[in-house]
Amino acid sequence: MTAEHRRVVVIGAGPSGSIASALLKRRGHDVLVLERQQFPRFSIGESLLVHCLDFVEEAGMLEAVEAAGFQYKNGAAFARNGEYADYDFGDRFTAGRPSTFQVQRARFDQILADEAAKQGVEIRYEVEITAVSEPDASGRRTLTARDVKGGQVRAIEADFILDASGFGRTLPKLLKLETPSQFPTRQAIFTHVADHIPEGAFDRNKIRVTVHPKYDDVWFWLIPFSGGRTSLGVVAAKEHLDRYAGPPDQKLRTLVAEDRGLAVLLAEAEWDTPVRELHGYAANVQSMSGPGFALLGNAAEFLDPVFSSGVTIAMRSASMAAATLHRQFSGETVDWKKEFEEPLRKGVDCFRAYVEAWYDGRFQKVVFAPGQTPEIRRMISSVLAGYAWDESNPFVKNPQRRLDSIVAWVGR
Ligand SMILES: Cc1cc2nc3c(=O)[nH]c(=O)nc-3n(C[C@H](O)[C@H](O)[C@H](O)COP(=O)(O)OP(=O)(O)OC[C@H]3O[C@@H](n4cnc5c(N)ncnc54)[C@H](O)[C@@H]3O)c2cc1C
């Protein structure tokens, strides 16, 4: 079989694949994206952080996203047993735009992929990567690409591969790079509803995270979309959800009924979309790069959905990988570990500290603590808006110390 030869092959046309491929094309490189599904396709991950729009803009796609009519989002709100706290992204430590969007991912991902294609990126849909060779003497690998409909198989040789295959985790599986996440196995059950929430009862410009009234490691998301629709989901340890009877639909309805605030908000909701579930989504890898490849977004690591950080990390990794690869193609010697993985992991580790503090209860204490100073609120708001790489923010530089000092102050 003679292999087709390409400069860069990107596996997957989700947010990280579209952003990376457009950024490389804009720098003059040949890019082929292979995507196993036909678009539009459902994907979870609908509440965006502000920082991810910086990469949408860098890739020349902001105008198209802004024109799409997605729900405006200006912050994050938290509710627990009648308590309520919110953070406004317009009032934060790190400079930048004040707002972002909440998006149906089928449409959002299609817009990004179409924008990449308009910029000259070739995207082939319904082509799945099933195998990868060891690198040859010049560091090139050959991918096996299978046509999903016809089953034909072809070989594609790439100077460099970017794995943007998300939860598919193609190269981590094929190259045995997977390591277990340190988080326990959690499960999410979710759907979309026509919410019929009365005007004024709910701030539609914010994601609302509701802590279960009895179990503080169980939480719900309400992500309002434009057009009166809302994404609704619950996250809990798998063993906890296994205790609820019935199919996922029944479990989600029972859990919603257990929180009075949510039950009231959703009293008139029409459950018109199949309920889905996902579990064991947290994952990690030994290394985010190797000879002839780098891993983007969820193909590398996924922490937890609580702070809606997934798409932002995916896009940030895409931007950093595209810049690093461009330097490599320009003849520079590049150390992927030092120049890509380590700086990327700094922000991921900051989010990790907040995820841990959410589940051990410290961050919930902070969020619902009365009397936070405006300065502290601005620093927390920056993290919640996705600026987890801005080390001039003390809540990014030293999350543990900062959170612990507030928890100690709250507990006085
Ligand atoms: C319950 C839950 C809730 C979440 N909520 C949020 C949220 O509110 N906000 C947020 O930012 N993030 C959220 N996330 C995370 C978000 O879903 C991901 O971080 C994000 O989609 C990652 O983007 P990506 O580009 O890495 O991969 P994806 O968006 O997963 O795209 C990967 C693409 O690769 C394709 N693919 C896979 N394998 C192959 C293969 N072998 N060959 C070819 N193509 C392949 C897939 O079809 C897919 O289209 C959530 C995650 C979970 C589990």
Side-chain angles (χ1 to χ4, degrees), residues 45-49 53 65 68-77 89 99-105 107-108 202-208 221-226 229-231 308:
E46 299 150 324
S47 189
L48 303 182
L49 303 185
L53 292 190
V65 168
F70 290 123
Q71 171 66 44
Y72 169 87
K73 174 184 172 189
N74 66 7
F89 292 160
S99 61
T100 181
F101 299 104
Q102 319 221 91
V103 300
Q104 287 93 335
R105 284 284 302 280
R107 178 129 183 275
F108 179 72
F202 178 40
D203 182 352
R204 301 194 74 89
N205 296 334
K206 293 184 174 66
I207 182 175
R208 183 181 294 203
W221 76 72
L222 275 187
I223 300 175
F225 297 132
S226 49
R229 299 189 62 74
T230 287
S231 171
S308 309

Side-chain angles (χ1 to χ4, degrees), residues 9 17 20 32 41 43 83 85 125 136 152 154 169 176 196 209 221 236 266 273 280 335 354 356 369 373 382 407:
V9 173
L32 170 66
R41 54 92 178 95
S43 179
E83 290 176 285
Y125 291 96
D136 66 15
Q152 299 96 323
R154 67 158 68 198
R169 299 170 63 75
K176 303 198 175 6
H196 300 295
V209 171
W221 76 72
L266 295 172
T273 309
D335 181 338
Y354 284 86
E356 283 167 3
T373 65
S382 256
V407 169

